[in-house]
């Protein structure tokens, strides 16, 4: 974990502060919403919705830790009514919380999508293991590069992590087409497709944010872009994705309860 660069402007510090605060609010409120909706879906989809809430709960906890670590790393004060001055306290900023979070939540995100699609049991188990392990490997391979300042080393680990990343994205974009088409209603199929492609879209932002420090940006600006970018991508990939999971569960529950689909 490299020390933070000196020379943050108030705008750079504040943008990161607000992005992390937004992450806490979005993840925390999403968790409450998902768990309050559990009685409103049939038993078949409660596990998926429970996992959705667990994902955002884990993310809420880690965003609180990142936010506190960011706050403790700086002092912000105004002298004689002038502009706010931002100075390092010397305390470390622990961004490793992000990777702990991703190692736990990214496999669960994929598992909740597979569960809510209600595939045959063997296919559900197989896909859950394959995508879960691939996504965990992707996160584990990305971390060694994230904590490096050497650009060659960062690119090396980035390339390695992109191997399982491409496998997961290909499976979501192409491999689940047939399963999506077999959803019980056009609305459910449309929502499942939207969930898949939102995952692909939000995931594709992570490699680009990861590369911020590898394309000439450095210092406080690079740190700000990295923290804001990861925070926005997380909200899309967890809170917004979770809303789609709930919508799929609610739609399929309504279809089952109306008698249009016999529960398996």
């Amino acid at each position: 974990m490299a020390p933070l660069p000196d020379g943050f402007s108030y705008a750079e510090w504040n943008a990161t502060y607000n992005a992390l605060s937004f992450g806490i609010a979005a993840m925390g409120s999403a968790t409450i919403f998902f768990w309050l909706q559990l009685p409103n879906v049939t038993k078949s989809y409660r596990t998926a919705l429970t996992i959705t809430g667990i994902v955002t709960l884990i993310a809420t906890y880690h965003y609180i830790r990142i936010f506190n670590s960011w706050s403790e790393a700086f002092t912000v004060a105004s002298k004689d009514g002038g502009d706010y001055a931002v100075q390092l306290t010397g305390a470390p900023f622990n961004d490793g919380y992000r990777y702990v979070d991703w190692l736990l939540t990214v496999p669960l995100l994929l598992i909740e999508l597979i569960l809510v699609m209600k595939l045959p049991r063997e296919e559900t188990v197989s896909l859950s293991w394959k995508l879960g392990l691939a996504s965990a490997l992707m996160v584990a391979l990305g971390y060694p590069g994230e904590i490096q300042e050497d650009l060659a080393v960062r690119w090396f680990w980035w390339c390695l992590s992109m191997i399982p990343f491409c496998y997961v994205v290909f499976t979501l974009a192409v491999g689940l087409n047939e399963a999506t088409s077999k959803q019980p209603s056009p609305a459910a199929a449309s929502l499942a497709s939207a969930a898949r492609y939102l995952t692909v879209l939000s995931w594709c932002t992570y490699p680009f944010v990861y590369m911020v420090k590898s394309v000439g940006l450095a210092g406080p600006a690079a740190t700000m872009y990295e923290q804001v970018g990861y925070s926005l991508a997380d909200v899309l990939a967890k809170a917004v994705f979770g809303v789609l999971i709930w919508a799929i569960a609610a739609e399929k529950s309504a279809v089952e309860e109306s008698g249009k689909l016999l529960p398996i």
Side-chain angles (χ1 to χ4, degrees):
M1 185 168 57
L4 284 167
D6 204 355
F8 277 86
S9 68
Y10 178 66
E12 290 168 334
W13 175 87
N14 199 43
T16 302
Y17 182 96
N18 288 331
L20 296 173
S21 178
F22 174 68
I24 295 171
M27 302 298 186
S29 57
T31 302
I32 296 169
F33 173 76
F34 298 144
W35 286 349
L36 285 177
Q37 289 299 313
L38 280 172
N40 297 328
V41 300
T42 59
K43 188 176 180 181
S44 301
Y45 306 108
R46 287 176 188 166
T47 300
L49 202 55
T50 300
I51 292 174
T52 306
I54 290 172
V55 166
T56 49
L57 178 65
I58 292 170
T60 303
Y61 167 76
H62 285 114
Y63 264 86
I64 291 171
R65 298 303 299 267
I66 297 169
F67 178 86
N68 289 341
S69 184
W70 181 260
S71 299
E72 291 165 3
F74 298 91
T75 57
V76 182
S78 172
K79 266 195 174 182
D80 303 321
D83 291 339
Y84 288 103
V86 180
Q87 294 182 324
L88 295 174
T89 63
F93 172 55
N94 187 356
D95 196 28
Y97 290 123
R98 284 199 185 278
Y99 278 82
V100 175
D101 177 84
W102 293 337
L103 195 61
L104 294 170
T105 59
V106 170
L108 290 175
L109 283 169
L110 297 171
I111 290 170
E112 71 190 58
L113 175 60
I114 294 166
L115 287 175
V116 84
M117 292 182 76
K118 205 174 182 182
L119 304 172
R121 180 177 175 80
E122 288 186 7
E123 189 176 358
T124 296
V125 172
S126 175
L127 276 174
S128 295
W129 275 107
K130 288 177 183 177
L131 294 181
L133 290 175
S135 60
L137 181 61
M138 173 190 71
V139 174
L141 290 173
Y143 182 67
E146 186 72 71
I147 60 176
Q148 294 292 328
E149 295 297 322
D150 188 311
L151 293 186
V153 177
R154 285 181 67 85
W155 279 112
F156 171 76
W157 288 105
W158 181 87
C159 291
L160 284 183
S161 67
M162 287 301 291
I163 296 171
F165 172 87
C166 289
Y167 167 73
V168 173
V169 168
F170 177 82
T171 302
L172 289 172
V174 179
L176 291 177
N177 270 334
E178 184 179 350
T180 301
S181 67
K182 293 180 179 178
Q183 294 303 298
S185 73
S190 177
L191 287 166
S193 182
R196 286 165 50 213
Y197 288 115
L198 175 65
T199 305
V200 171
L201 175 65
S202 60
W203 277 35
C204 283
T205 62
Y206 290 98
F208 289 105
V209 176
Y210 186 99
M211 290 190 293
V212 161
K213 293 179 180 177
S214 304
V215 292
L217 276 176
T223 300
M224 177 199 70
Y225 286 126
E226 184 177 61
Q227 293 303 318
V228 172
Y230 280 149
S231 298
L232 294 177
D234 274 350
V235 170
L236 277 176
K238 295 171 186 174
V240 177
F241 175 77
V243 170
L244 285 175
I245 294 296
W246 160 76
I248 295 168
E251 168 64 20
K252 294 177 74 170
S253 295
V255 171
E256 290 184 3
E257 289 174 353
S258 69
K260 293 179 183 177
L261 176 70
L262 291 175
I264 296 174

mmCIF file of all heavy atoms in Angstrom, residues 19 22-23 26-27 30 34 52 55-56 59 63 102 109 112 194-206 209 228-245:
data_model
loop_
_atom_site.group_PDB
_atom_site.id
_atom_site.type_symbol
_atom_site.label_atom_id
_atom_site.label_comp_id
_atom_site.label_asym_id
_atom_site.label_seq_id
_atom_site.Cartn_x
_atom_site.Cartn_y
_atom_site.Cartn_z
ATOM 1 N N ALA A 19 -17.839 11.009 -3.199
ATOM 2 C CA ALA A 19 -18.066 9.747 -3.909
ATOM 3 C C ALA A 19 -18.165 8.581 -2.923
ATOM 4 O O ALA A 19 -19.025 7.701 -3.059
ATOM 5 C CB ALA A 19 -16.952 9.502 -4.919
ATOM 6 N N PHE A 22 -21.433 8.864 -1.073
ATOM 7 C CA PHE A 22 -22.507 8.401 -1.960
ATOM 8 C C PHE A 22 -22.568 6.877 -1.978
ATOM 9 O O PHE A 22 -23.656 6.283 -1.968
ATOM 10 C CB PHE A 22 -22.267 8.944 -3.366
ATOM 11 C CG PHE A 22 -23.228 8.425 -4.398
ATOM 12 C CD1 PHE A 22 -24.567 8.776 -4.354
ATOM 13 C CD2 PHE A 22 -22.791 7.591 -5.416
ATOM 14 C CE1 PHE A 22 -25.462 8.299 -5.316
ATOM 15 C CE2 PHE A 22 -23.669 7.108 -6.381
ATOM 16 C CZ PHE A 22 -25.013 7.459 -6.325
ATOM 17 N N GLY A 23 -21.407 6.233 -1.999
ATOM 18 C CA GLY A 23 -21.356 4.773 -1.976
ATOM 19 C C GLY A 23 -21.999 4.202 -0.722
ATOM 20 O O GLY A 23 -22.758 3.231 -0.790
ATOM 21 N N ALA A 26 -25.884 4.767 -1.004
ATOM 22 C CA ALA A 26 -26.507 3.925 -2.027
ATOM 23 C C ALA A 26 -26.550 2.467 -1.591
ATOM 24 O O ALA A 26 -27.593 1.794 -1.705
ATOM 25 C CB ALA A 26 -25.750 4.066 -3.345
ATOM 26 N N MET A 27 -25.434 1.959 -1.077
ATOM 27 C CA MET A 27 -25.379 0.549 -0.676
ATOM 28 C C MET A 27 -26.253 0.284 0.545
ATOM 29 O O MET A 27 -26.964 -0.738 0.618
ATOM 30 C CB MET A 27 -23.939 0.145 -0.382
ATOM 31 C CG MET A 27 -22.964 0.337 -1.511
ATOM 32 S SD MET A 27 -23.338 -0.651 -2.977
ATOM 33 C CE MET A 27 -21.868 -0.280 -3.960
ATOM 34 N N ALA A 30 -29.977 0.444 -0.377
ATOM 35 C CA ALA A 30 -30.314 -0.709 -1.212
ATOM 36 C C ALA A 30 -30.491 -1.965 -0.359
ATOM 37 O O ALA A 30 -31.416 -2.752 -0.581
ATOM 38 C CB ALA A 30 -29.237 -0.930 -2.267
ATOM 39 N N PHE A 34 -33.900 -4.243 -0.361
ATOM 40 C CA PHE A 34 -33.927 -5.636 -0.813
ATOM 41 C C PHE A 34 -34.519 -6.554 0.256
ATOM 42 O O PHE A 34 -35.341 -7.423 -0.040
ATOM 43 C CB PHE A 34 -32.529 -6.113 -1.193
ATOM 44 C CG PHE A 34 -31.921 -5.352 -2.339
ATOM 45 C CD1 PHE A 34 -30.552 -5.073 -2.366
ATOM 46 C CD2 PHE A 34 -32.699 -4.900 -3.399
ATOM 47 C CE1 PHE A 34 -29.991 -4.373 -3.412
ATOM 48 C CE2 PHE A 34 -32.146 -4.189 -4.450
ATOM 49 C CZ PHE A 34 -30.791 -3.927 -4.457
ATOM 50 N N THR A 52 -28.506 -10.693 -2.665
ATOM 51 C CA THR A 52 -28.400 -9.324 -3.161
ATOM 52 C C THR A 52 -28.204 -8.350 -2.007
ATOM 53 O O THR A 52 -27.357 -7.445 -2.064
ATOM 54 C CB THR A 52 -29.666 -8.936 -3.953
ATOM 55 O OG1 THR A 52 -29.897 -9.901 -4.979
ATOM 56 C CG2 THR A 52 -29.531 -7.569 -4.576
ATOM 57 N N VAL A 55 -24.716 -8.690 -0.472
ATOM 58 C CA VAL A 55 -23.708 -8.008 -1.286
ATOM 59 C C VAL A 55 -23.637 -6.523 -0.935
ATOM 60 O O VAL A 55 -22.556 -5.968 -0.700
ATOM 61 C CB VAL A 55 -24.018 -8.188 -2.793
ATOM 62 C CG1 VAL A 55 -23.203 -7.203 -3.638
ATOM 63 C CG2 VAL A 55 -23.706 -9.615 -3.231
ATOM 64 N N THR A 56 -24.795 -5.859 -0.893
ATOM 65 C CA THR A 56 -24.783 -4.430 -0.609
ATOM 66 C C THR A 56 -24.458 -4.142 0.857
ATOM 67 O O THR A 56 -23.889 -3.093 1.176
ATOM 68 C CB THR A 56 -26.125 -3.779 -0.993
ATOM 69 O OG1 THR A 56 -27.212 -4.543 -0.450
ATOM 70 C CG2 THR A 56 -26.271 -3.707 -2.511
ATOM 71 N N ALA A 59 -20.740 -4.313 1.028
ATOM 72 C CA ALA A 59 -20.218 -3.103 0.391
ATOM 73 C C ALA A 59 -20.395 -1.884 1.301
ATOM 74 O O ALA A 59 -19.495 -1.023 1.377
ATOM 75 C CB ALA A 59 -20.910 -2.864 -0.944
ATOM 76 N N TYR A 63 -17.340 0.416 2.464
ATOM 77 C CA TYR A 63 -17.325 1.842 2.114
ATOM 78 C C TYR A 63 -17.196 2.716 3.360
ATOM 79 O O TYR A 63 -16.551 3.775 3.317
ATOM 80 C CB TYR A 63 -18.567 2.215 1.291
ATOM 81 C CG TYR A 63 -18.259 2.180 -0.177
ATOM 82 C CD1 TYR A 63 -18.355 0.989 -0.894
ATOM 83 C CD2 TYR A 63 -17.810 3.314 -0.842
ATOM 84 C CE1 TYR A 63 -18.033 0.935 -2.238
ATOM 85 C CE2 TYR A 63 -17.476 3.268 -2.188
ATOM 86 C CZ TYR A 63 -17.593 2.083 -2.872
ATOM 87 O OH TYR A 63 -17.241 2.031 -4.209
ATOM 88 N N TRP A 102 -14.470 -6.801 -3.090
ATOM 89 C CA TRP A 102 -14.702 -7.438 -4.388
ATOM 90 C C TRP A 102 -14.525 -8.953 -4.318
ATOM 91 O O TRP A 102 -15.251 -9.703 -4.968
ATOM 92 C CB TRP A 102 -13.764 -6.858 -5.436
ATOM 93 C CG TRP A 102 -14.041 -5.427 -5.770
ATOM 94 C CD1 TRP A 102 -15.221 -4.756 -5.604
ATOM 95 C CD2 TRP A 102 -13.127 -4.484 -6.329
ATOM 96 N NE1 TRP A 102 -15.089 -3.455 -6.025
ATOM 97 C CE2 TRP A 102 -13.823 -3.254 -6.472
ATOM 98 C CE3 TRP A 102 -11.786 -4.551 -6.721
ATOM 99 C CZ2 TRP A 102 -13.215 -2.108 -6.985
ATOM 100 C CZ3 TRP A 102 -11.182 -3.411 -7.232
ATOM 101 C CH2 TRP A 102 -11.899 -2.205 -7.365
ATOM 102 N N LEU A 109 -22.420 -11.681 -6.705
ATOM 103 C CA LEU A 109 -23.208 -10.985 -7.721
ATOM 104 C C LEU A 109 -23.598 -11.925 -8.857
ATOM 105 O O LEU A 109 -24.736 -11.929 -9.325
ATOM 106 C CB LEU A 109 -22.410 -9.812 -8.296
ATOM 107 C CG LEU A 109 -22.302 -8.548 -7.442
ATOM 108 C CD1 LEU A 109 -21.267 -7.605 -8.036
ATOM 109 C CD2 LEU A 109 -23.648 -7.850 -7.349
ATOM 110 N N GLU A 112 -26.145 -14.649 -7.629
ATOM 111 C CA GLU A 112 -27.536 -14.188 -7.473
ATOM 112 C C GLU A 112 -28.236 -14.080 -8.826
ATOM 113 O O GLU A 112 -29.438 -14.350 -8.942
ATOM 114 C CB GLU A 112 -27.585 -12.855 -6.723
ATOM 115 C CG GLU A 112 -27.092 -11.660 -7.492
ATOM 116 C CD GLU A 112 -26.938 -10.417 -6.633
ATOM 117 O OE1 GLU A 112 -26.183 -10.445 -5.639
ATOM 118 O OE2 GLU A 112 -27.557 -9.402 -6.972
ATOM 119 N N ALA A 194 -31.259 -7.238 -19.377
ATOM 120 C CA ALA A 194 -30.746 -5.958 -18.879
ATOM 121 C C ALA A 194 -29.751 -6.172 -17.742
ATOM 122 O O ALA A 194 -28.717 -5.487 -17.668
ATOM 123 C CB ALA A 194 -31.903 -5.081 -18.404
ATOM 124 N N ALA A 195 -30.037 -7.136 -16.850
ATOM 125 C CA ALA A 195 -29.131 -7.424 -15.738
ATOM 126 C C ALA A 195 -27.790 -7.936 -16.245
ATOM 127 O O ALA A 195 -26.725 -7.546 -15.751
ATOM 128 C CB ALA A 195 -29.770 -8.439 -14.791
ATOM 129 N N ARG A 196 -27.833 -8.816 -17.246
ATOM 130 C CA ARG A 196 -26.588 -9.342 -17.821
ATOM 131 C C ARG A 196 -25.750 -8.226 -18.419
ATOM 132 O O ARG A 196 -24.543 -8.120 -18.169
ATOM 133 C CB ARG A 196 -26.910 -10.374 -18.895
ATOM 134 C CG ARG A 196 -27.407 -11.706 -18.364
ATOM 135 C CD ARG A 196 -28.041 -12.523 -19.482
ATOM 136 N NE ARG A 196 -27.175 -12.599 -20.634
ATOM 137 C CZ ARG A 196 -27.602 -12.650 -21.900
ATOM 138 N NH1 ARG A 196 -28.897 -12.604 -22.166
ATOM 139 N NH2 ARG A 196 -26.743 -12.736 -22.888
ATOM 140 N N TYR A 197 -26.393 -7.385 -19.225
ATOM 141 C CA TYR A 197 -25.636 -6.361 -19.934
ATOM 142 C C TYR A 197 -25.211 -5.212 -19.016
ATOM 143 O O TYR A 197 -24.186 -4.578 -19.257
ATOM 144 C CB TYR A 197 -26.421 -5.848 -21.137
ATOM 145 C CG TYR A 197 -26.482 -6.875 -22.241
ATOM 146 C CD1 TYR A 197 -27.690 -7.445 -22.634
ATOM 147 C CD2 TYR A 197 -25.320 -7.323 -22.856
ATOM 148 C CE1 TYR A 197 -27.738 -8.415 -23.623
ATOM 149 C CE2 TYR A 197 -25.355 -8.296 -23.848
ATOM 150 C CZ TYR A 197 -26.564 -8.832 -24.227
ATOM 151 O OH TYR A 197 -26.602 -9.803 -25.201
ATOM 152 N N LEU A 198 -25.995 -4.954 -17.957
ATOM 153 C CA LEU A 198 -25.544 -3.969 -16.977
ATOM 154 C C LEU A 198 -24.280 -4.457 -16.284
ATOM 155 O O LEU A 198 -23.351 -3.680 -16.036
ATOM 156 C CB LEU A 198 -26.637 -3.703 -15.932
ATOM 157 C CG LEU A 198 -26.215 -2.770 -14.788
ATOM 158 C CD1 LEU A 198 -25.925 -1.365 -15.309
ATOM 159 C CD2 LEU A 198 -27.282 -2.722 -13.698
ATOM 160 N N THR A 199 -24.245 -5.760 -15.974
ATOM 161 C CA THR A 199 -23.050 -6.340 -15.365
ATOM 162 C C THR A 199 -21.851 -6.188 -16.286
ATOM 163 O O THR A 199 -20.767 -5.776 -15.860
ATOM 164 C CB THR A 199 -23.273 -7.828 -15.032
ATOM 165 O OG1 THR A 199 -24.426 -7.958 -14.207
ATOM 166 C CG2 THR A 199 -22.070 -8.410 -14.308
ATOM 167 N N VAL A 200 -22.039 -6.513 -17.556
ATOM 168 C CA VAL A 200 -20.945 -6.378 -18.527
ATOM 169 C C VAL A 200 -20.489 -4.926 -18.613
ATOM 170 O O VAL A 200 -19.283 -4.628 -18.570
ATOM 171 C CB VAL A 200 -21.381 -6.891 -19.916
ATOM 172 C CG1 VAL A 200 -20.334 -6.544 -20.968
ATOM 173 C CG2 VAL A 200 -21.623 -8.399 -19.878
ATOM 174 N N LEU A 201 -21.451 -4.003 -18.723
ATOM 175 C CA LEU A 201 -21.120 -2.584 -18.854
ATOM 176 C C LEU A 201 -20.385 -2.068 -17.625
ATOM 177 O O LEU A 201 -19.343 -1.402 -17.732
ATOM 178 C CB LEU A 201 -22.406 -1.773 -19.077
ATOM 179 C CG LEU A 201 -22.248 -0.248 -19.126
ATOM 180 C CD1 LEU A 201 -21.416 0.163 -20.332
ATOM 181 C CD2 LEU A 201 -23.611 0.437 -19.161
ATOM 182 N N SER A 202 -20.929 -2.349 -16.442
ATOM 183 C CA SER A 202 -20.301 -1.839 -15.220
ATOM 184 C C SER A 202 -18.940 -2.482 -14.999
ATOM 185 O O SER A 202 -17.992 -1.814 -14.567
ATOM 186 C CB SER A 202 -21.211 -2.084 -14.011
ATOM 187 O OG SER A 202 -21.463 -3.456 -13.820
ATOM 188 N N TRP A 203 -18.823 -3.775 -15.303
ATOM 189 C CA TRP A 203 -17.536 -4.447 -15.136
ATOM 190 C C TRP A 203 -16.479 -3.868 -16.065
ATOM 191 O O TRP A 203 -15.304 -3.812 -15.710
ATOM 192 C CB TRP A 203 -17.698 -5.945 -15.393
ATOM 193 C CG TRP A 203 -18.192 -6.701 -14.209
ATOM 194 C CD1 TRP A 203 -19.077 -6.271 -13.260
ATOM 195 C CD2 TRP A 203 -17.829 -8.029 -13.839
ATOM 196 N NE1 TRP A 203 -19.306 -7.251 -12.339
ATOM 197 C CE2 TRP A 203 -18.555 -8.330 -12.656
ATOM 198 C CE3 TRP A 203 -16.988 -8.979 -14.384
ATOM 199 C CZ2 TRP A 203 -18.437 -9.555 -12.026
ATOM 200 C CZ3 TRP A 203 -16.877 -10.206 -13.761
ATOM 201 C CH2 TRP A 203 -17.589 -10.491 -12.588
ATOM 202 N N CYS A 204 -16.886 -3.460 -17.261
ATOM 203 C CA CYS A 204 -15.906 -2.959 -18.223
ATOM 204 C C CYS A 204 -15.306 -1.623 -17.797
ATOM 205 O O CYS A 204 -14.272 -1.212 -18.334
ATOM 206 C CB CYS A 204 -16.544 -2.821 -19.612
ATOM 207 S SG CYS A 204 -16.739 -4.410 -20.464
ATOM 208 N N THR A 205 -15.944 -0.955 -16.833
ATOM 209 C CA THR A 205 -15.354 0.294 -16.342
ATOM 210 C C THR A 205 -14.159 0.024 -15.424
ATOM 211 O O THR A 205 -13.239 0.848 -15.359
ATOM 212 C CB THR A 205 -16.393 1.129 -15.569
ATOM 213 O OG1 THR A 205 -16.839 0.401 -14.419
ATOM 214 C CG2 THR A 205 -17.590 1.459 -16.447
ATOM 215 N N TYR A 206 -14.147 -1.118 -14.736
ATOM 216 C CA TYR A 206 -13.074 -1.391 -13.781
ATOM 217 C C TYR A 206 -11.689 -1.474 -14.427
ATOM 218 O O TYR A 206 -10.740 -0.870 -13.917
ATOM 219 C CB TYR A 206 -13.372 -2.679 -13.000
ATOM 220 C CG TYR A 206 -14.507 -2.560 -12.024
ATOM 221 C CD1 TYR A 206 -15.783 -2.989 -12.354
ATOM 222 C CD2 TYR A 206 -14.321 -2.029 -10.755
ATOM 223 C CE1 TYR A 206 -16.839 -2.886 -11.461
ATOM 224 C CE2 TYR A 206 -15.368 -1.920 -9.847
ATOM 225 C CZ TYR A 206 -16.626 -2.349 -10.213
ATOM 226 O OH TYR A 206 -17.668 -2.237 -9.328
ATOM 227 N N VAL A 209 -10.537 2.092 -15.173
ATOM 228 C CA VAL A 209 -10.160 2.839 -13.978
ATOM 229 C C VAL A 209 -8.830 2.322 -13.447
ATOM 230 O O VAL A 209 -7.968 3.099 -13.013
ATOM 231 C CB VAL A 209 -11.254 2.732 -12.895
ATOM 232 C CG1 VAL A 209 -10.815 3.425 -11.606
ATOM 233 C CG2 VAL A 209 -12.558 3.335 -13.391
ATOM 234 N N VAL A 228 -13.203 7.913 -7.397
ATOM 235 C CA VAL A 228 -14.535 8.279 -7.895
ATOM 236 C C VAL A 228 -15.014 7.244 -8.908
ATOM 237 O O VAL A 228 -16.177 6.810 -8.881
ATOM 238 C CB VAL A 228 -14.514 9.689 -8.519
ATOM 239 C CG1 VAL A 228 -15.840 10.000 -9.214
ATOM 240 C CG2 VAL A 228 -14.228 10.740 -7.452
ATOM 241 N N GLY A 229 -14.121 6.819 -9.814
ATOM 242 C CA GLY A 229 -14.495 5.834 -10.828
ATOM 243 C C GLY A 229 -14.909 4.513 -10.227
ATOM 244 O O GLY A 229 -15.953 3.941 -10.604
ATOM 245 N N TYR A 230 -14.133 4.004 -9.280
ATOM 246 C CA TYR A 230 -14.481 2.742 -8.631
ATOM 247 C C TYR A 230 -15.799 2.857 -7.860
ATOM 248 O O TYR A 230 -16.611 1.920 -7.836
ATOM 249 C CB TYR A 230 -13.369 2.307 -7.667
ATOM 250 C CG TYR A 230 -12.188 1.645 -8.328
ATOM 251 C CD1 TYR A 230 -10.903 1.779 -7.790
ATOM 252 C CD2 TYR A 230 -12.338 0.864 -9.475
ATOM 253 C CE1 TYR A 230 -9.804 1.148 -8.380
ATOM 254 C CE2 TYR A 230 -11.249 0.239 -10.069
ATOM 255 C CZ TYR A 230 -9.983 0.390 -9.520
ATOM 256 O OH TYR A 230 -8.908 -0.225 -10.095
ATOM 257 N N SER A 231 -16.024 3.992 -7.215
ATOM 258 C CA SER A 231 -17.236 4.166 -6.419
ATOM 259 C C SER A 231 -18.482 4.146 -7.305
ATOM 260 O O SER A 231 -19.475 3.475 -6.988
ATOM 261 C CB SER A 231 -17.173 5.476 -5.635
ATOM 262 O OG SER A 231 -16.090 5.463 -4.725
ATOM 263 N N LEU A 232 -18.443 4.867 -8.409
ATOM 264 C CA LEU A 232 -19.589 4.898 -9.318
ATOM 265 C C LEU A 232 -19.828 3.520 -9.945
ATOM 266 O O LEU A 232 -20.972 3.074 -10.079
ATOM 267 C CB LEU A 232 -19.368 5.948 -10.411
ATOM 268 C CG LEU A 232 -19.324 7.404 -9.931
ATOM 269 C CD1 LEU A 232 -19.037 8.338 -11.103
ATOM 270 C CD2 LEU A 232 -20.618 7.798 -9.240
ATOM 271 N N ALA A 233 -18.746 2.837 -10.328
ATOM 272 C CA ALA A 233 -18.881 1.502 -10.910
ATOM 273 C C ALA A 233 -19.474 0.526 -9.901
ATOM 274 O O ALA A 233 -20.303 -0.320 -10.251
ATOM 275 C CB ALA A 233 -17.515 1.004 -11.396
ATOM 276 N N ASP A 234 -19.070 0.644 -8.638
ATOM 277 C CA ASP A 234 -19.607 -0.236 -7.596
ATOM 278 C C ASP A 234 -21.108 -0.044 -7.405
ATOM 279 O O ASP A 234 -21.857 -1.005 -7.233
ATOM 280 C CB ASP A 234 -18.890 0.030 -6.269
ATOM 281 C CG ASP A 234 -17.605 -0.760 -6.124
ATOM 282 O OD1 ASP A 234 -17.354 -1.654 -6.956
ATOM 283 O OD2 ASP A 234 -16.844 -0.485 -5.169
ATOM 284 N N VAL A 235 -21.553 1.205 -7.398
ATOM 285 C CA VAL A 235 -22.988 1.470 -7.215
ATOM 286 C C VAL A 235 -23.779 0.858 -8.368
ATOM 287 O O VAL A 235 -24.834 0.245 -8.160
ATOM 288 C CB VAL A 235 -23.248 2.986 -7.102
ATOM 289 C CG1 VAL A 235 -24.742 3.285 -7.167
ATOM 290 C CG2 VAL A 235 -22.661 3.523 -5.799
ATOM 291 N N LEU A 236 -23.271 0.990 -9.588
ATOM 292 C CA LEU A 236 -23.943 0.379 -10.737
ATOM 293 C C LEU A 236 -23.958 -1.139 -10.628
ATOM 294 O O LEU A 236 -24.987 -1.785 -10.832
ATOM 295 C CB LEU A 236 -23.242 0.779 -12.038
ATOM 296 C CG LEU A 236 -23.595 2.121 -12.661
ATOM 297 C CD1 LEU A 236 -22.717 2.366 -13.885
ATOM 298 C CD2 LEU A 236 -25.065 2.164 -13.058
ATOM 299 N N ALA A 237 -22.792 -1.712 -10.298
ATOM 300 C CA ALA A 237 -22.639 -3.164 -10.309
ATOM 301 C C ALA A 237 -23.342 -3.851 -9.145
ATOM 302 O O ALA A 237 -23.632 -5.052 -9.235
ATOM 303 C CB ALA A 237 -21.151 -3.525 -10.296
ATOM 304 N N LYS A 238 -23.629 -3.119 -8.060
ATOM 305 C CA LYS A 238 -24.220 -3.758 -6.882
ATOM 306 C C LYS A 238 -25.624 -3.252 -6.583
ATOM 307 O O LYS A 238 -26.583 -4.030 -6.556
ATOM 308 C CB LYS A 238 -23.291 -3.553 -5.680
ATOM 309 C CG LYS A 238 -21.957 -4.259 -5.863
ATOM 310 C CD LYS A 238 -20.956 -3.891 -4.802
ATOM 311 C CE LYS A 238 -19.607 -4.519 -5.133
ATOM 312 N NZ LYS A 238 -18.533 -4.077 -4.217
ATOM 313 N N ALA A 239 -25.759 -1.947 -6.340
ATOM 314 C CA ALA A 239 -27.073 -1.418 -5.967
ATOM 315 C C ALA A 239 -28.043 -1.427 -7.142
ATOM 316 O O ALA A 239 -29.169 -1.935 -7.034
ATOM 317 C CB ALA A 239 -26.913 -0.002 -5.403
ATOM 318 N N VAL A 240 -27.628 -0.869 -8.286
ATOM 319 C CA VAL A 240 -28.521 -0.817 -9.451
ATOM 320 C C VAL A 240 -28.764 -2.223 -9.998
ATOM 321 O O VAL A 240 -29.897 -2.589 -10.342
ATOM 322 C CB VAL A 240 -27.936 0.104 -10.552
ATOM 323 C CG1 VAL A 240 -28.826 0.107 -11.789
ATOM 324 C CG2 VAL A 240 -27.775 1.529 -10.016
ATOM 325 N N PHE A 241 -27.719 -3.037 -10.068
ATOM 326 C CA PHE A 241 -27.872 -4.426 -10.491
ATOM 327 C C PHE A 241 -28.831 -5.169 -9.557
ATOM 328 O O PHE A 241 -29.672 -5.959 -9.998
ATOM 329 C CB PHE A 241 -26.506 -5.109 -10.487
ATOM 330 C CG PHE A 241 -26.537 -6.572 -10.796
ATOM 331 C CD1 PHE A 241 -26.704 -7.031 -12.089
ATOM 332 C CD2 PHE A 241 -26.390 -7.518 -9.777
ATOM 333 C CE1 PHE A 241 -26.737 -8.386 -12.378
ATOM 334 C CE2 PHE A 241 -26.409 -8.877 -10.052
ATOM 335 C CZ PHE A 241 -26.587 -9.310 -11.358
ATOM 336 N N GLY A 242 -28.729 -4.900 -8.258
ATOM 337 C CA GLY A 242 -29.616 -5.536 -7.295
ATOM 338 C C GLY A 242 -31.076 -5.179 -7.519
ATOM 339 O O GLY A 242 -31.964 -6.019 -7.333
ATOM 340 N N VAL A 243 -31.331 -3.937 -7.927
ATOM 341 C CA VAL A 243 -32.711 -3.537 -8.233
ATOM 342 C C VAL A 243 -33.249 -4.372 -9.398
ATOM 343 O O VAL A 243 -34.424 -4.777 -9.392
ATOM 344 C CB VAL A 243 -32.775 -2.028 -8.561
ATOM 345 C CG1 VAL A 243 -34.149 -1.654 -9.106
ATOM 346 C CG2 VAL A 243 -32.459 -1.206 -7.316
ATOM 347 N N LEU A 244 -32.407 -4.646 -10.385
ATOM 348 C CA LEU A 244 -32.835 -5.495 -11.500
ATOM 349 C C LEU A 244 -33.107 -6.928 -11.033
ATOM 350 O O LEU A 244 -34.056 -7.561 -11.493
ATOM 351 C CB LEU A 244 -31.780 -5.483 -12.605
ATOM 352 C CG LEU A 244 -31.717 -4.213 -13.450
ATOM 353 C CD1 LEU A 244 -30.539 -4.276 -14.429
ATOM 354 C CD2 LEU A 244 -33.014 -4.001 -14.222
ATOM 355 N N ILE A 245 -32.274 -7.434 -10.127
ATOM 356 C CA ILE A 245 -32.510 -8.776 -9.582
ATOM 357 C C ILE A 245 -33.863 -8.818 -8.869
ATOM 358 O O ILE A 245 -34.645 -9.761 -9.028
ATOM 359 C CB ILE A 245 -31.379 -9.169 -8.604
ATOM 360 C CG1 ILE A 245 -30.045 -9.318 -9.353
ATOM 361 C CG2 ILE A 245 -31.720 -10.462 -7.856
ATOM 362 C CD1 ILE A 245 -30.019 -10.427 -10.380
#
